[in-house]
Amino acid sequence: VRERISVLYGLWIIHFTRWDTGPYELAQELVRLSERHQDLEAPTLGQALMGNTLWARGAFVAARSYLERSLELCETGSNNIADVRALHNHGVAALSFLGVTLWPLGFPEKAAEAADRALAQARHTGHVPLTALALHNQAFLVASFGVDRHLIRIEPREAESYCVEHGVAAYEPWARFWQGLVLARGDDPRDGIEI
């Protein structure tokens, strides 16, 4: 079962990145499979991936429910599985996506708090792709939703710098885009275009 979950997770990442028709069906299958699996890592992952998928579809209320369930499983299950680090990493990813889910639902303070917690926890793990994801989602909040600077304490350029420094090619173009968007909203839109 663990091997099947790993394969489904890998396929989900590919389809989610390309955003074709696969992410929802793969997330559904992971949720169904995880319901029969005793290890709490599987349900945590399944709930988080379904939350991410629903977020990308704009189904924010449903996404929030799945992401919060994933976090609950992380908190209750951290002493019950062998690989606590994997469970914690799923929790950080779910928390990061919860941040970008809560904002359009009208909870800017909660969104910023979730995003800040996700980034702090990701940095604590030292996991480079996870930290890049958390920075990316914070930059997304700032650039897309215009989150007030007192709520989110990073600048979008910090996400780009981190990605360049650590060679995280997946998030570097996005980080540059968020930075350009913020600059384009400033005094001279050409500043953003030049990024």
Side-chain angles (χ1 to χ4, degrees):
V1 176
R2 274 189 163 278
E3 291 80 9
R4 187 172 175 199
I5 288 171
S6 294
V7 169
L8 288 171
Y9 183 31
L11 288 171
W12 181 89
I13 290 170
I14 292 167
H15 289 281
F16 187 79
T17 304
R18 292 189 324 204
W19 197 249
D20 55 25
T21 58
Y24 186 76
E25 289 75 16
L26 288 163
Q28 275 186 320
E29 189 173 347
L30 265 166
V31 169
R32 279 194 302 270
L33 182 62
S34 69
E35 288 170 353
R36 300 188 307 269
H37 195 52
Q38 298 300 311
D39 184 342
L40 275 173
E41 183 186 350
T44 302
L45 177 62
Q47 297 288 318
L49 296 186
M50 182 57 83
N52 295 355
T53 302
L54 291 167
W55 167 82
R57 286 180 153 204
F60 302 123
V61 173
R64 178 184 184 181
S65 176
Y66 278 98
L67 293 167
E68 287 178 341
R69 179 67 182 137
S70 178
L71 291 169
E72 287 171 14
L73 289 168
C74 283
E75 290 169 12
T76 59
S78 61
N79 297 320
N80 299 328
I81 68 165
D83 191 356
V84 175
R85 182 173 180 163
L87 186 65
H88 177 74
N89 290 353
H90 299 326
V92 172
L95 193 57
S96 183
F97 271 96
L98 183 61
V100 295
T101 300
L102 289 169
W103 182 269
L105 290 174
F107 301 103
E109 290 84 8
K110 288 183 180 181
E113 179 188 341
D116 282 343
R117 283 179 44 216
L119 180 57
Q121 290 177 21
R123 284 182 167 153
H124 179 73
T125 67
H127 192 280
V128 170
L130 198 60
T131 304
L133 169 68
L135 281 165
H136 165 269
N137 280 354
Q138 280 208 345
F140 174 69
L141 278 172
V142 171
S144 296
F145 298 119
V147 176
D148 294 334
R149 298 296 180 178
H150 72 279
L151 292 177
I152 295 284
R153 291 181 290 278
I154 71 146
E155 294 287 334
R157 68 175 159 265
E158 186 178 342
E160 181 191 3
S161 298
Y162 185 87
C163 290
V164 169
E165 178 185 347
H166 295 282
V168 184
Y171 294 113
E172 182 185 338
W174 282 108
R176 188 172 289 117
F177 175 77
W178 303 135
Q179 183 182 351
L181 189 57
V182 168
L183 289 171
R185 289 186 176 142
D187 294 332
D188 189 348
R190 288 175 294 188
D191 293 339
I193 294 168
E194 291 170 4
I195 291 293

